[in-house]
Amino acid sequence: MTSNYPNPEQDYTVLVRCFTFNQSKYIEDALNGFVMQQTTFPFVCLVVDDASTDGEQEVIKTWMERECDMADAKYVDIPTANVVIVPHKTNCNCTMAVYLLKENLYRQREKKMDHVTPWREHCRYEALCEGDDYWTEPLKLQKQVYFMNSHSEYSMCFHNAVLHWEDGREEDHSFSNVKDRNYSGVEIFEKWIVPTASVLLRKEVYSSAIYRKAVKNPYFRYGDIILFLSCAKCGKVRGMSNCMSVYRKQEGGVTYNVTTKYSIAHAFHSLNIYKEFGNEYKNLSVDFFMKTILNSYLMTRGDGNPQHKLLWSAFKVQPIITIKFVWKRFFRKDYIKKFFLGG
């Protein structure tokens, strides 16, 4: 960590981590969801704009001028970012720590996370929210912290959310069918039921052996599921049925448009889950791998798409695993039908 990075001057109960890039149309919704939280404890909102090119940094500055007590703002210029640390005007428990990065650090994860580390060390829990999602319940943090404080055996809790398509292709509906109960890591992986903006976790998960090993795996593409499965290894995970946030599907989102290259990366991401998290994930990992690879084949089959070569080169990435686990599954009738007939 760079020595001149700002250090918190107090402890907080929750660190709200928001990474954002080119989300100028949506970021104010996220910021407003943070500062409306009604809590009995202090929390800090760490907003890291990854050198946006759509004017988002100016939107954030304008929002701070309007909503925060800029007379008490602390400005820090570090090599990677211009930093503003400022209290909210009316929410005395809320502090904003905004990092406006000078260069895009998307492909330099460790360097980007250096901005988070000093704040994490001064917090008990961490809440997540991407710049295009937002919270809708003022008591969201209060409810989750109360639960976690009362149940030390839990490493994470999450809640339901509203799924909103920005282009209007579907009406708003629940993200998933979350119940008020415990969830296993296998359930989370199989059904993808956790909206990222709903999560509150104990910071100790980040220093756990399982998480520190998993984040070094080069085949993983989605940090959220890796974090959730690490939480499931470190303690219990609790679901809450309340819808307290909005998961926005929009054109700039990672999962909005699926290309062949994206599908192949997703396939090997899935295949590596069981290698890091245990044999209870093996059947799901391999099945997800096969289905994604075959779907990728069908996406490009017969249309002369140059990405078709990517599909076959993908099998060269991990040939031993492919031969050992895929061979026998390929001869299931449903896979044969799909591969040869497109059915």
Side-chain angles (χ1 to χ4, degrees):
M1 183 180 66
T2 305
S3 59
N4 65 339
Y5 279 16
N7 285 302
E9 297 178 354
Q10 68 173 85
D11 290 336
Y12 300 90
T13 299
V14 178
L15 166 65
V16 180
R17 173 161 63 88
C18 177
F19 285 164
T20 183
F21 174 72
N22 281 359
Q23 293 167 336
S24 61
K25 294 189 294 184
Y26 314 119
I27 188 62
E28 285 198 32
D29 287 339
L31 299 175
N32 290 333
F34 300 156
V35 301
M36 77 174 181
Q37 293 302 302
Q38 301 172 12
T39 67
T40 57
F41 49 80
F43 63 97
V44 60
C45 304
L46 179 64
V47 180
V48 180
D49 179 282
D50 204 358
S52 292
T53 59
D54 69 341
E56 183 176 15
Q57 292 197 358
E58 293 304 315
V59 172
I60 295 173
K61 290 177 184 177
T62 300
W63 180 89
M64 283 193 294
E65 291 286 346
R66 183 177 69 246
E67 299 291 336
C68 298
D69 188 358
M70 301 308 293
D72 285 340
K74 177 181 178 181
Y75 299 88
V76 184
D77 185 9
I78 61 177
T80 54
N82 293 309
V83 184
V84 184
I85 303 169
V86 61
H88 189 254
K89 281 183 179 178
T90 58
N91 190 340
C92 62
N93 282 322
C94 177
T95 299
M96 302 298 299
V98 177
Y99 286 65
L100 304 176
L101 299 191
K102 300 174 183 178
E103 62 174 312
N104 186 275
L105 299 180
Y106 176 75
R107 299 191 182 280
Q108 302 180 60
R109 186 182 182 281
E110 290 187 7
K111 193 173 182 180
K112 189 174 179 180
M113 292 303 293
D114 280 346
H115 302 91
V116 180
T117 302
W119 300 92
R120 185 176 287 155
E121 292 174 350
H122 285 262
C123 297
R124 184 183 306 170
Y125 304 109
E126 187 163 321
L128 310 177
C129 187
E130 300 288 325
D132 56 346
D133 298 331
Y134 60 99
W135 299 344
T136 57
E137 168 56 60
L139 295 176
K140 168 200 154 62
L141 287 183
Q142 186 70 37
K143 291 177 180 179
Q144 290 186 294
V145 168
Y146 177 80
F147 176 84
M148 297 290 278
N149 282 347
S150 303
H151 301 84
S152 60
E153 70 274 24
Y154 286 81
S155 58
M156 171 184 138
C157 62
F158 68 97
H159 55 75
N160 208 347
V162 172
L163 177 60
H164 171 73
W165 287 87
E166 197 65 21
D167 61 7
R169 67 173 63 181
E170 295 181 17
E171 293 186 0
D172 289 358
H173 56 85
S174 294
F175 179 87
S176 53
N177 186 27
V178 181
K179 304 290 187 181
D180 293 310
R181 65 173 177 85
N182 295 348
Y183 284 85
S184 68
V186 172
E187 282 183 285
I188 292 172
F189 177 51
E190 179 181 16
K191 300 176 182 178
W192 206 274
I193 58 173
V194 181
T196 301
S198 75
V199 170
L200 182 82
L201 66 140
R202 297 188 189 275
K203 70 173 183 180
E204 289 79 11
V205 174
Y206 290 105
S207 58
S208 66
I210 186 71
Y211 179 76
R212 294 175 67 178
K213 183 173 182 290
V215 293
K216 295 179 181 178
N217 187 318
Y219 294 106
F220 285 145
R221 291 293 180 269
Y222 316 108
D224 51 0
I225 189 64
I226 303 310
L227 181 58
F228 305 159
L229 298 186
S230 296
C231 286
K233 286 289 187 179
C234 293
K236 295 180 180 179
V237 175
R238 185 71 175 183
M240 299 176 172
S241 60
N242 311 63
C243 281
M244 297 192 282
S245 64
V246 170
Y247 178 83
R248 197 193 311 258
K249 297 277 276 188
Q250 45 90 14
E251 191 170 0
V254 174
T255 60
Y256 188 88
N257 294 309
V258 179
T259 64
T260 305
K261 188 174 182 179
Y262 173 92
S263 293
I264 292 169
H266 179 75
F268 283 99
H269 166 93
S270 298
L271 191 60
N272 276 266
I273 290 291
Y274 90 89
K275 292 179 63 179
E276 299 293 346
F277 294 100
N279 284 337
E280 64 265 35
Y281 296 94
K282 180 185 288 187
N283 288 336
L284 283 174
S285 286
V286 177
D287 283 347
F288 285 167
F289 173 82
M290 279 300 300
K291 289 175 182 177
T292 308
I293 286 293
L294 292 177
N295 284 337
S296 298
Y297 170 78
L298 295 173
M299 285 170 60
T300 61
R301 183 170 124 180
D303 62 3
N305 191 324
Q307 291 194 86
H308 189 77
K309 294 180 181 179
L310 287 172
L311 180 61
W312 303 113
S313 64
F315 283 96
K316 299 177 183 178
V317 177
Q318 293 186 340
I320 296 177
I321 292 178
T322 303
I323 293 171
K324 184 177 180 181
F325 297 113
V326 175
W327 179 259
K328 61 181 180 181
R329 284 171 170 76
F330 175 78
F331 285 100
R332 282 168 39 181
K333 291 182 180 179
D334 55 339
Y335 285 150
I336 293 175
K337 182 180 179 182
K338 207 170 190 182
F339 192 83
F340 289 108
L341 302 179

